[in-house]
Amino acid sequence: MDVFNRGDVAGRLLILGEPGAGKTTTLLELAKELITAAEAEPTAPVPIIFELSAWTNDKQPIADWLVVRLKDEYNVPIKTGQHWVETHQILPLLDGLDELGMARQKLCAAKINDFLPEGEPDRKVVVCCRTKEFKQGDVPLTGLNGAVELQPLSERQIRGYLKDVGQPGLWETIE
């Protein structure tokens, strides 16, 4: 949340990590904090998680896709969804860019960039992708202002966590 709110990031964030590093968990935690913020500030956008694996039309703009997903997943009328997207009332949290495959990943990244023009600082978005696929695909997400890369937990961190939750003996089972 600290990185998301930084002035230079301005709510346009990329979350990278290896498989199992906690990208989706981090996205869920961020969503929870953003919901709390939206409850406290009625003008704040409402975060909604969208799975990019459902982006099936390579030519479809992200804004149009979001409206369709809102209709399909939450039964939001098309006109209402369009209004929400156009007026920045939702904050899309886009998970799984890497699940599209290299060619489609680049196409989707271009659509995400189109969705985030420089002149619209109120439009915020978070994108999650595996580090390896992101780097291999050489995906230019120019509309995003910052990135975090989740690192694997060290053995010491895992042991400390298990101790904190009262399960230090579980380490032997894990080993």
Side-chain angles (χ1 to χ4, degrees):
M1 189 69 167
D2 291 339
V3 175
F4 178 85
N5 284 327
R6 272 188 5 207
D8 60 333
V9 175
R12 294 180 174 198
L13 180 65
L14 173 63
I15 299 174
L16 296 169
E18 295 306 318
K23 296 176 299 297
T24 300
T25 301
T26 300
L27 192 66
L28 290 168
E29 289 172 4
L30 179 60
K32 184 178 175 183
E33 290 186 43
L34 290 167
I35 288 169
T36 300
E39 289 173 339
E41 175 54 53
T43 61
V46 175
I48 301 175
I49 296 175
F50 296 90
E51 296 294 332
L52 283 170
S53 60
W55 185 72
T56 56
N57 179 346
D58 294 346
K59 295 183 179 171
Q60 186 177 36
I62 292 296
D64 295 349
W65 176 75
L66 293 171
V67 171
V68 170
R69 298 310 303 155
L70 286 167
K71 169 82 172 103
D72 291 349
E73 290 185 43
Y74 304 105
N75 205 25
V76 173
I78 295 290
K79 293 254 186 227
T80 302
Q82 287 172 330
H83 176 72
W84 288 354
V85 171
E86 289 169 7
T87 59
H88 317 295
Q89 292 183 47
I90 65 164
L91 196 166
L93 306 176
L94 307 176
D95 196 16
L97 180 61
D98 52 275
E99 294 175 23
L100 296 174
M102 289 300 163
R104 296 195 64 240
Q105 186 175 314
K106 286 183 179 186
L107 294 170
C108 187
K111 296 297 182 183
I112 291 169
N113 289 335
D114 291 344
F115 180 68
L116 298 168
E118 281 187 41
E120 283 192 56
D122 291 341
R123 179 157 284 162
K124 299 172 182 352
V125 69
V126 178
V127 178
C128 285
C129 188
R130 289 182 178 174
T131 303
K132 180 179 175 184
E133 284 80 351
F134 182 77
K135 289 180 179 175
Q136 281 179 342
D138 193 27
V139 179
L141 281 169
T142 57
L144 300 179
N145 299 329
V148 294
E149 184 174 2
L150 304 177
Q151 299 298 311
L153 295 174
S154 68
E155 182 179 314
R156 182 176 168 202
Q157 289 171 310
I158 295 169
R159 285 178 183 243
Y161 172 78
L162 293 173
K163 182 180 177 188
D164 289 347
V165 296
Q167 297 292 325
L170 200 55
W171 178 251
E172 291 175 19
T173 305
I174 291 171
E175 263 187 330

